[in-house]
Amino acid sequence: MKIRHILLTLTAMVALSACAQTQFSALEQQQISIEDPTLFEKSDAFTIDFASGRDKDYSFPLPVGKAKLMSDYNVEIETTHGDAVKAMFAGVVRLSRHSATYGNVIVIRHGNGLETVYSNNAQNLVKSGERVKAGQTIAIVGSENSRTFCRFSMMVNGSRINPSIIVSLESHRLRPQLVLFQKTANWKVNVSILKEPVVEKPESVQWWSFPLPGAKVISPYGKRGGRRHTGVDLKTVNRDNILAAFDGEVVFSGGFSGYGNLIRIRHENGLETYYSHNSKNLVKVGDQVKAGDIIALTGQTGRATTPHLHFETRVGGQPVNPATYFDLQTYNIRLESFNKKRDGYVIKR
Ligand SMILES: [Zn+2]
C-alpha cells in the first residue's frame, strides 16, 4: 500500500501567486482562508471515507464541464453560457458575495470537513448561512474574456488542497478511498490516502473489467504516421489504477524498451493483454490475477509524451484492435466477440 503525503502551508499558497490573474487579492483570500475553529478541536486528524456512507453523496460542480487544474490548485471548469453550478457536497454557505476582481464568490463549509469555493459566477443563487444539498444549484456560471468557466477550489482549514486527490478531474468521479487529514505545525494540513480505491465488482461483470475506467482514448489502434499503433492509448490522471481486463496469469512484468514498465497477462484461448508506460507495476511474473485486480499505476515510462496507458490485446502473439473486445466509448464488453462456456467466457477465434 502506498501513502501519498501532500504538505500544504498557507505561506506556500501565497507564494504560488505566480499566476496573478487567477489569484484572489490578499484581502479576499484572507476572508476565504480562515481556519475552521471546530475542525481539529477534538483531535488533530479526521478522515473522510469517499468509498462509503454519506460522504459518497456528491456532485461535480459543472457535470458537463471540462476541468483544468492550475498550478495554484484552482480548477477552471469550462462550460457553456447559462450552465448551473452545483454544490459538491451538502453543507452551509459560509460566504456568498461579489468581489470586484473575481465576480461572485461562494464558499461552502461541508459536514465532512472540507470547504469548496466557486467563483467567477454570473449570479449567486444562495445566501450566507443557507443550508445546501449535494448537487443543489448554487450559481449560474459566468464569463471572462469570452470564456465561460467556474473557478473552483477545495480547502481544508483554510488551506487549498490539490482537488485531484479527491476527485478525478477527467471522469468527474469521486475517488472511492479513505483519506486522512492531519493537522501538523502552524497552518499545515497533511493529506494522505489510507485505503486505495476499492474496485466494486458487481456479480454480472465479474469476468471482465475495463482496464482504465473513465479513460479517454487519446490515440486509437491502427495506422499512426508511417507505423502501426499496436494498441490503444487511454488517459485519465497520472498514477491511476490499471485493472486486469480478464482473469489470467502474469507472464511478464518489468521494463521493456519503448513500452517502459510493461505487464503482459495470458488469458484463455491464446489471448494476451499488454499494459504499458506504467509508473509502477504491482504484480510479478507467475501471479494469478482476477479481472478488476489493480495490477499497475499509470505513468509515462518508455516512449510516451504524456502519462497514459498503452493497452494491447493480442491473439496468438498478433495485435488485435482492443475495440474488438471493448466498446471504447461506453467501456462495455463486446459480448459478440466471446463464447459462453460453462464457467465463463472465452474469446472467439
Ligand atoms: Zn500507444
Side-chain angles (χ1 to χ4, degrees):
M1 182 175 303
K2 172 174 53 33
I3 304 228
R4 275 168 277 183
H5 286 272
I6 312 269
L7 268 182
L8 299 146
T9 67
L10 186 70
T11 43
M13 220 172 71
V14 174
L16 276 166
S17 343
C19 173
Q21 287 299 311
T22 64
Q23 288 289 321
F24 290 95
S25 72
L27 189 69
E28 286 166 342
Q29 193 63 66
Q30 205 175 29
Q31 286 210 17
I32 294 169
S33 306
I34 56 167
E35 281 189 271
D36 180 343
T38 59
L39 194 59
F40 292 110
E41 195 179 48
K42 293 200 175 72
S43 151
D44 275 352
F46 68 96
T47 57
I48 306 178
D49 188 355
F50 294 106
S52 62
R54 70 182 170 92
D55 294 332
K56 263 173 74 179
D57 201 7
Y58 151 90
S59 168
F60 197 72
L62 280 156
V64 296
K66 197 169 168 350
K68 188 176 171 213
L69 182 63
M70 316 306 274
S71 59
D72 56 5
Y73 290 157
N74 268 308
V75 180
E76 290 190 1
I77 311 169
E78 254 190 276
T79 184
T80 48
H81 189 76
D83 234 359
V85 179
K86 315 273 190 192
M88 192 172 237
F89 305 100
V92 177
V93 177
R94 181 159 72 71
L95 186 143
S96 172
R97 68 176 187 92
H98 182 76
S99 126
T101 340
Y102 295 100
N104 294 311
V105 187
I106 293 173
V107 180
I108 301 177
R109 181 165 286 169
H110 303 289
N112 61 15
L114 296 178
E115 289 197 319
T116 49
V117 184
Y118 314 76
S119 73
N120 193 45
N121 306 324
Q123 195 190 350
N124 288 355
L125 302 174
V126 290
K127 294 189 297 288
S128 294
E130 207 175 313
R131 209 161 259 290
V132 294
K133 293 195 187 99
Q136 182 177 331
T137 297
I138 54 168
I140 301 298
V141 71
S143 301
E144 183 188 278
N145 302 327
S146 75
R147 281 173 64 232
T148 301
F149 67 96
C150 173
R151 186 177 296 110
F152 170 75
S153 63
M154 298 180 88
M155 298 193 305
V156 179
N157 209 36
S159 294
R160 209 179 287 155
I161 62 165
N162 182 351
S164 63
I165 299 173
I166 311 292
V167 56
S168 163
L169 296 177
E170 304 257 344
S171 71
H172 296 179
R173 284 189 307 200
L174 211 53
R175 299 184 186 279
Q177 59 196 0
L178 181 65
V179 182
L180 174 73
F181 298 87
Q182 247 175 323
K183 188 183 185 179
T184 59
N186 291 340
W187 287 98
K188 287 181 186 167
V189 178
N190 258 338
V191 183
S192 46
I193 294 160
L194 290 184
K195 211 163 66 190
E196 289 292 326
V198 179
V199 179
E200 287 169 26
K201 287 201 278 182
E203 206 59 38
S204 59
V205 297
Q206 218 165 21
W207 65 276
W208 67 273
S209 180
F210 193 76
L212 194 60
K216 205 166 73 185
V217 176
I218 54 169
S219 180
Y221 174 90
K223 275 216 178 79
R224 187 164 70 177
R227 301 168 44 185
R228 187 165 66 135
H229 188 215
T230 52
V232 62
D233 291 348
L234 301 168
K235 185 167 174 70
T236 52
V237 289
N238 198 12
R239 299 180 73 77
D240 205 354
N241 295 326
I242 299 172
L243 314 179
F246 308 102
D247 297 359
E249 182 182 339
V250 178
V251 293
F252 184 90
S253 176
F256 188 75
S257 69
Y259 282 86
N261 286 326
L262 168 72
I263 289 171
R264 277 172 48 204
I265 302 176
R266 184 168 297 153
H267 312 284
E268 279 186 272
N269 219 10
L271 176 69
E272 281 195 358
T273 48
Y274 285 42
Y275 312 79
S276 117
H277 306 311
N278 313 334
S279 59
K280 194 173 183 190
N281 289 355
L282 302 171
V283 291
K284 54 184 194 311
V285 172
D287 283 355
Q288 300 291 327
V289 295
K290 287 278 177 201
D293 281 356
I294 299 169
I295 54 167
L297 302 176
T298 56
Q300 197 181 339
T301 56
R303 201 167 51 239
T305 52
T306 178
H308 72 279
L309 167 65
H310 170 93
F311 175 64
E312 290 188 13
T313 46
R314 291 190 180 228
V315 178
Q318 291 305 309
V320 173
N321 189 345
T324 310
Y325 303 111
F326 289 101
D327 182 322
L328 300 174
Q329 268 71 53
T330 63
Y331 315 121
N332 264 315
I333 196 76
R334 285 200 193 278
L335 266 183
E336 64 272 24
S337 301
F338 295 84
N339 281 325
K340 176 114 181 75
K341 49 170 215 167
R342 198 155 45 90
D343 58 343
Y345 291 82
V346 291
I347 54 159
K348 283 181 183 164
R349 287 201 67 172

